[in-house]
């Protein structure tokens, strides 16, 4: 079984609909992230959470919200989807760094391809 | 200017060739550096961390130049299976330890 699981793998929806993407992990990591990737571009951070009570906006959080239901679960919501939110979405986890270190390696789910018509 | 910049490519090379990718970063407080590999429409996977002294893993060599703020990835004896997009990733304390991704360099190895 995958250590980081995203559902659904693919989703097609219409403008204005509410969509939730879910992510769960069995790695025991405290830190979880949501990224989006557009064709030909790198990953851009939407939201991140360093523990269950911690939620932070990333560089492109407008139009999105998140919920950290448990250490292992981090969901991303689009309250009212719009076509320019069509993208490949990745959830990722990382372990908390040791003292004096930055965050370490990222482990990704398989991604959710979202299409908003 | 983007915080992390990479040659977009594409790089098209024959099997057996040696190819090098560069990545520059603008935040001098950057602490950790990585190369990830991403196959088409799939999740990025860590290829290797980049250490100050440089490091090698089989056919792959990563170098860090802090003075010039760039990292590099060298692939020797390219294989068809090396065809992928290579993402440069930089972490820094001043960015709350979060990862910043370059847009990736696409490599195609041809027979």
């Amino acid at each position: 079984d995958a250590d980081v699981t995203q559902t659904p793998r693919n989703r097609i929806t219409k403008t204005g609909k509410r969509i939730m993407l879910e992510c769960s992990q069995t790695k025991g990591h405290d830190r979880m992230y949501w990224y989006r990737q557009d064709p030909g571009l790198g990953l851009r951070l939407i939201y991140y959470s360093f523990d269950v009570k911690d939620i932070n906006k990333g560089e492109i959080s407008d139009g999105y919200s998140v919920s950290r239901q448990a250490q292992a679960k981090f969901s991303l919501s689009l309250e009212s989807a719009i076509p320019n939110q069509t993208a490949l979405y990745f959830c990722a986890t990382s372990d908390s760094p040791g003292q004096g270190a930055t965050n370490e390696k990222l482990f990704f789910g398989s991604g959710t391809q979202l299409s908003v018509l | 200017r983007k915080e992390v910049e990479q040659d977009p490519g594409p790089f098209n090379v024959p099997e057996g060739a040696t190819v090098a990718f560069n990545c520059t970063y603008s935040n001098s407080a950057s602490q950790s550096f990585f190369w990830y590999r991403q196959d088409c429409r799939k999740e990025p996977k860590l290829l290797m961390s980049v250490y100050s002294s440089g490091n090698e893993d089989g056919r792959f060599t990563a170098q860090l130049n802090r003075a010039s703020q760039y990292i590099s990835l060298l692939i020797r004896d390219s294989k068809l299976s090396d065809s992928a997009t290579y993402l440069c990733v930089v972490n820094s304390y001043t960015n709350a330890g979060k990862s910043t991704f370059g847009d990736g360099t696409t490599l195609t190895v041809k027979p």
Side-chain angles (χ1 to χ4, degrees):
Chain A
D1 288 340
D3 294 321
V4 184
T5 302
Q6 289 183 234
T7 56
R9 292 295 306 276
N10 291 280
R11 182 71 184 267
I12 300 173
T13 192
K14 294 182 179 180
T15 298
K17 294 291 187 181
R18 184 178 188 272
I19 296 296
M20 179 180 287
L21 309 183
E22 300 194 28
C23 178
S24 62
Q25 52 117 344
T26 58
K27 299 190 74 66
H29 289 166
D30 287 327
R31 298 185 169 200
M32 298 187 74
Y33 310 81
W34 275 104
Y35 290 91
R36 71 174 274 175
Q37 186 176 34
D38 295 280
L41 298 179
L43 278 68
R44 292 184 292 167
L45 185 62
I46 306 172
Y47 270 96
Y48 63 103
S49 169
F50 282 177
D51 65 43
V52 175
K53 297 180 181 179
D54 176 75
I55 299 289
N56 304 283
K57 293 182 177 181
E59 60 182 305
I60 54 164
S61 59
D62 288 349
Y64 301 94
S65 63
V66 291
S67 174
R68 184 81 184 265
Q69 300 95 322
Q71 187 207 34
K73 295 183 181 296
F74 192 38
S75 59
L76 176 72
S77 294
L78 288 68
E79 296 300 326
S80 180
I82 56 177
N84 76 1
Q85 291 177 313
T86 293
L88 184 56
Y89 289 83
F90 288 107
C91 174
T93 73
S94 69
D95 205 353
S96 298
Q99 188 175 4
T102 58
N103 68 312
E104 295 296 331
K105 306 158 191 173
L106 291 167
F107 297 86
F108 288 88
S110 298
T112 296
Q113 177 61 56
L114 176 65
S115 299
V116 183
L117 305 179
Chain B
R1 181 187 174 191
K2 290 186 177 181
E3 191 169 334
V4 178
E5 294 201 57
Q6 297 183 240
D7 290 334
F11 285 70
N12 297 304
V13 302
E15 271 187 294
T18 295
V19 61
F21 308 138
N22 289 325
C23 169
T24 59
Y25 60 94
S26 59
N27 186 349
S28 60
S30 297
Q31 299 286 110
S32 303
F33 309 89
F34 306 92
W35 284 102
Y36 282 75
R37 171 194 168 126
Q38 185 177 26
D39 294 295
C40 187
R41 311 301 293 170
K42 296 196 173 180
E43 74 273 24
K45 293 184 179 179
L46 180 67
L47 177 66
M48 57 197 304
S49 304
V50 186
Y51 303 120
S52 296
S53 56
N55 49 300
E56 186 174 311
D57 182 3
R59 298 181 293 108
F60 298 84
T61 300
Q63 298 274 353
L64 167 63
N65 185 319
R66 286 190 184 272
S68 300
Q69 294 183 201
Y70 79 82
I71 68 173
S72 64
L73 177 68
L74 181 77
I75 306 175
R76 291 182 299 279
D77 189 22
S78 299
K79 310 292 185 190
L80 296 177
S81 58
D82 294 332
S83 298
T85 296
Y86 293 84
L87 300 167
C88 171
V89 180
V90 175
N91 295 353
S92 71
Y93 281 125
T94 58
N95 195 24
K98 301 189 303 294
S99 300
T100 302
F101 284 76
D103 287 342
T105 298
T106 299
L107 171 66
T108 300
V109 181
K110 299 185 175 181

